[in-house]
Amino acid sequence: MQIKKLLSYLEEIAPPSLQESYDNAGLIVGDPKVDIEGVLICLDSTEAVIDEAIQLGCNLVIAHHPIVFKGLKRLNGKNYVERTVMKAIKNDIAIYAIHTNLDNVYYKGVNSAIAEQLGLVDTQILAPKGRAKKLITFVAPDQMEPLRKALLDAGAGAVSGFRDLTYASLGVGTRDGSGGAQVKLEVVYAAHQERSLVSALLKAHPEAHVPYDIIATENKVMEIGSGMIGKLEEPMNEKDFLAHLKSVMGAGCVRYTRLRRRKVRKVAVCGGSGGFLLQTAIARGADIFVTADYKYHEFFDADGRIVIADIGHYESEQFTIQLLHEIISNKFSIFAAHCTKVNTNPVYYL
């Protein structure tokens, strides 16, 4: 099986269009048409990870963080980025990154993995930002169901917690002076799905010249966005929750703001650097906000309205490795998928 087939599947789950503007997710090194011999999954594609891939006979590394964020002007091995890329190329190992696009999805996303570890229920995207669109087309009544199925298979009708959401109304269509029964079929979809949806429409519609309209809406797609918020099944006091957090997330330490002497019921989380979501977490009534990479002065922003708990960048995202392993191994069985045994965390604790 070629690399591009696996990448196409991963991009159905986390479309590249959902990555942030500063990001560099995608195939960074390698030929997508090469057959997969084995896959190694990691958080960071370092030199040690490439060495591990060589030892395991893997020719594809799936990483969460891109090894290259900005353009490389030279490849002469002067830093770990250049050395990693050079070693991968020399040994015919492809490197693929699935970063903020995986952060920004609800289903099988980075933050859902954190929420699962913490035992949160009734989870939602903390800051939804996807936009819904509507596609309208017209078709003969007896040809509607195959077309409807094709659009649903392409991802339409799955927004804001709904599945298979469509609307059909019967009317009379006229053309060149003659008329007949027509069904107006409407489907909603997330904006990033537009290309695949239109492609499915053009392929499945029985007419050569397909009539359709696309309408932008102000409705948000609740399954796309930053962070996650959920509830504990049973409220905990703050100290007990922090101890639970440190244990289940394998954190070397937890840096936190002044406790509020209240029960923890609602928890907001964001893997990696999530400080930009603090005000949203407060506005949505979270008792504690779990994230990473907080600077000294930023802790003051809690201002007694919430508890900030910084568990470290690596610690907050480490379960992404197992998440990706499950996504890949549950779908494909014709090649071996390995979780790295290299701890790429650059931070150590006494």
Side-chain angles (χ1 to χ4, degrees), residues 318-338:
Q318 61 185 305
F319 297 102
T320 305
I321 298 172
Q322 186 61 41
L323 170 70
L324 288 168
H325 183 269
E326 291 174 1
I327 290 172
I328 293 170
S329 58
N330 287 344
K331 176 69 175 181
F332 303 102
S333 59
I334 59 175
F335 54 82
H338 306 271

Side-chain angles (χ1 to χ4, degrees), residues 86-311:
M86 289 169 64
K87 182 172 286 189
I89 293 172
K90 183 177 180 179
N91 291 278
D92 295 321
I93 294 173
I95 301 176
Y96 178 82
I98 182 167
H99 191 210
T100 53
N101 47 328
L102 192 63
D103 291 334
N104 282 331
V105 295
Y106 177 86
Y107 297 104
K108 301 179 180 178
V110 171
N111 294 302
S112 62
I114 300 172
E116 183 178 349
Q117 287 297 125
L118 295 178
L120 302 185
V121 297
D122 300 331
T123 53
Q124 300 174 348
I125 290 288
L126 178 59
K129 59 183 177 183
R131 290 293 178 185
K133 285 190 170 185
K134 180 185 288 186
L135 184 146
I136 302 171
T137 189
F138 302 86
V139 68
D142 61 342
Q143 297 171 325
M144 184 199 75
E145 193 53 36
L147 179 59
R148 176 180 176 275
K149 184 178 185 305
L151 294 175
L152 293 178
D153 288 345
V159 297
S160 302
F162 293 98
R163 287 283 178 272
D164 297 348
L165 183 65
T166 65
Y167 182 80
S169 54
L170 185 63
V172 176
T174 60
R175 181 183 296 172
D176 298 329
S178 60
Q182 288 274 298
V183 170
K184 180 183 180 181
L185 180 63
E186 303 177 47
V187 295
V188 290
Y189 63 96
H192 71 271
Q193 299 172 309
E194 187 163 301
R195 180 179 296 181
S196 60
L197 196 68
V198 171
S199 176
L201 169 68
L202 298 179
K203 184 176 180 180
H205 201 286
E207 295 188 24
H209 301 286
V210 181
Y212 70 94
D213 297 308
I214 291 176
I215 299 175
T217 76
E218 292 300 315
N219 301 66
K220 290 184 178 179
V221 178
M222 304 305 289
E223 290 81 12
I224 296 172
S226 303
M228 189 163 289
I229 190 166
K231 299 175 182 177
L232 294 171
E233 290 193 14
E234 296 292 336
M236 302 174 68
N237 69 51
E238 293 164 318
K239 281 288 185 69
D240 287 344
F241 177 80
L242 290 171
H244 169 68
L245 173 65
K246 181 178 180 180
S247 175
V248 300
M249 298 302 293
C253 72
V254 177
R255 300 191 301 150
Y256 60 92
T257 54
R258 178 170 56 86
L259 301 182
R260 304 166 71 215
R261 297 182 181 180
R262 300 181 183 182
K263 291 286 188 180
V264 176
R265 294 178 174 85
K266 191 178 287 188
V267 180
V269 304
C270 181
S273 306
F276 68 99
L277 291 172
L278 177 64
Q279 297 305 319
T280 305
I282 293 171
R284 296 199 60 178
D287 300 301
I288 194 163
F289 179 37
V290 178
T291 188
D293 296 346
Y294 256 80
K295 297 179 181 179
Y296 173 82
H297 288 96
E298 293 172 339
F299 280 100
F300 285 108
D301 295 334
D303 201 21
R305 297 173 294 169
I306 197 171
V307 175
I308 297 170
D310 185 325
I311 61 173

Side-chain angles (χ1 to χ4, degrees), residues 30-143:
D31 182 351
K33 298 186 293 297
V34 169
D35 287 335
I36 298 174
E37 298 171 8
V39 176
L40 181 61
I41 303 160
C42 62
L43 207 60
D44 308 282
S45 50
T46 63
E47 290 177 85
V49 169
I50 301 301
D51 287 334
E52 186 183 20
I54 294 169
Q55 293 169 4
L56 292 171
C58 297
N59 66 338
L60 173 61
V61 170
I62 303 288
H64 182 46
H65 298 135
I67 183 62
V68 178
F69 266 106
K70 299 178 181 179
L72 292 175
K73 294 184 177 180
R74 295 175 178 84
L75 281 174
N76 52 33
K78 70 176 182 179
N79 56 46
Y80 83 96
V81 173
E82 294 181 9
R83 290 193 299 271
T84 299
V85 172
M86 289 169 64
K87 182 172 286 189
I89 293 172
K90 183 177 180 179
N91 291 278
D92 295 321
I93 294 173
I95 301 176
Y96 178 82
I98 182 167
H99 191 210
T100 53
N101 47 328
L102 192 63
D103 291 334
N104 282 331
V105 295
Y106 177 86
Y107 297 104
K108 301 179 180 178
V110 171
N111 294 302
S112 62
I114 300 172
E116 183 178 349
Q117 287 297 125
L118 295 178
L120 302 185
V121 297
D122 300 331
T123 53
Q124 300 174 348
I125 290 288
L126 178 59
K129 59 183 177 183
R131 290 293 178 185
K133 285 190 170 185
K134 180 185 288 186
L135 184 146
I136 302 171
T137 189
F138 302 86
V139 68
D142 61 342
Q143 297 171 325

